[in-house]
Amino acid sequence: MSAALCPVISENCRPSMSHLPAMNRSSTFVVLRADSPVILPSLLLCDFGNLEREIRAVEAAGAKTLHLDIMDGHFVPNITYGFTIVEAARRITDLALDVHLMIANPARYAVQFVEAGASLITIHAEAVDDPRPILDDIRAAGAAAGLAFNPPTPVSAIEPVLDACDYVLAMTVMPGYGGQKFTESVLEKVRLLREMLPPDAMIEVDGGINDDTIARAAAAGAEMFVVGSGIFKTPDYAVSMNKLRQLAQQKK
Ligand code: DX5
Ligand code: ZN
């Protein structure tokens, strides 16, 4: 099928090139490292009927980066949203946008998400045979490239491509839904990764991060903490984010 006929990649439905990333790859990481430990509110748990209000609220609460979960109903059982919400978030805010692709074919869509406004793109090791060319494409498009792995996946499965990653996302739940219970055994893999990765490569954790778990994840070596229900299901986002940041700094 030609591009002109393809309903997915025709020019009519490609995201507009006018929403280029607000920051390039190196300035994104300057911001992230300066903000470490980084608390990334996961919009999955926000009120999408009031998206701008929710984004303004986490901005006011001190967020420097937002986490957006893209689910396709194939790689994970759930379906969320796609380019239009990433573009909308990019129009609303200049914050860095961390786009977590839980999709079966990231090679086809990763660069389009950069064009939609993503500053960081995470693909899943379990979704592809060889992540390296996709990570290279993400970097070439101007975004930071991250590789995620699920709790059952061994670190040895991603070791050959760690040099192509700006950061690694250790999933602390099986991806698909917010509000799940943190998987304690992943912390051993975070410790192992911290020894293997160069100091400037960051480790992100996602799933079940809250007041009870964040300090242990930080002590294991994580510096980027995705938080959905621990922010959006609490009454005061600023109070919740400040407490999470303090707990991550204590590294108990
Ligand atoms: C789950 C998503 C997470 C989710 C986290 O697959 O990747 O980003 O929103 O939500 P909590 O913090 O509630 O586990
Ligand atoms: Zn996520």
Side-chain angles (χ1 to χ4, degrees):
M1 184 186 288
S2 75
L5 294 174
C6 173
V8 175
I9 59 171
S10 74
E11 286 305 312
N12 285 343
C13 60
R14 278 179 75 97
S16 160
M17 288 292 287
S18 63
H19 307 304
L20 288 170
M23 292 182 286
N24 64 28
R25 178 174 156 237
S26 60
S27 59
T28 295
F29 267 86
V30 169
V31 169
L32 279 175
R33 292 201 186 91
D35 193 36
S36 177
V38 187
I39 309 296
L40 301 98
S42 169
L43 295 183
L44 183 64
L45 279 296
C46 86
D47 173 4
F48 276 93
N50 293 286
L51 181 61
E52 178 164 9
R53 190 180 73 193
E54 293 282 59
I55 290 176
R56 295 280 171 252
V58 289
E59 277 180 338
K64 300 289 190 294
T65 308
L66 304 178
H67 182 88
L68 291 92
D69 291 295
I70 313 297
M71 304 186 192
D72 67 353
H74 294 278
F75 180 70
V76 288
N78 198 6
I79 298 177
T80 54
Y81 52 81
F83 302 120
T84 49
I85 294 289
V86 177
E87 289 180 295
R90 176 46 71 225
R91 282 196 299 275
I92 291 167
T93 183
D94 288 331
L95 295 184
L97 301 180
D98 173 32
V99 172
H100 178 189
L101 297 183
M102 287 161 275
I103 62 176
N105 192 351
R108 184 170 185 175
Y109 300 107
V111 169
Q112 289 186 61
F113 277 104
V114 181
E115 293 170 357
S119 325
L120 305 94
I121 300 263
T122 313
I123 62 168
H124 267 263
E126 298 84 2
V128 293
D129 290 333
D130 182 9
R132 185 180 293 275
I134 313 169
L135 295 166
D136 290 347
D137 284 350
I138 293 166
R139 284 174 157 183
L147 186 60
F149 66 100
N150 290 339
T153 301
V155 170
S156 57
I158 62 168
E159 187 176 1
V161 287
L162 290 180
D163 64 295
C165 301
D166 294 304
Y167 59 100
V168 174
L169 168 53
M171 288 302 299
T172 38
V173 298
M174 282 303 285
Y177 300 94
Q180 300 185 76
K181 189 173 179 296
F182 182 79
T183 310
E184 206 72 39
S185 59
V186 175
L187 294 182
E188 191 49 50
K189 292 193 249 190
V190 172
R191 280 188 278 275
L192 181 60
L193 271 171
R194 191 60 282 164
E195 288 171 12
M196 295 165 69
L197 286 166
D200 62 337
M202 297 175 83
I203 300 175
E204 181 174 38
V205 284
D206 182 1
I209 301 295
N210 56 36
D211 291 356
D212 293 329
T213 57
I214 193 168
R216 290 198 299 288
E223 293 172 276
M224 297 165 65
F225 305 90
V226 178
V227 184
S229 21
I231 295 172
F232 289 108
K233 299 301 177 196
T234 67
D236 189 322
Y237 301 170
V239 168
S240 303
M241 285 193 60
N242 287 337
K243 185 166 186 201
L244 287 162
R245 198 177 292 108
Q246 279 171 15
L247 289 166
Q249 277 161 349
Q250 287 171 14
K251 297 188 180 182
K252 277 180 187 164

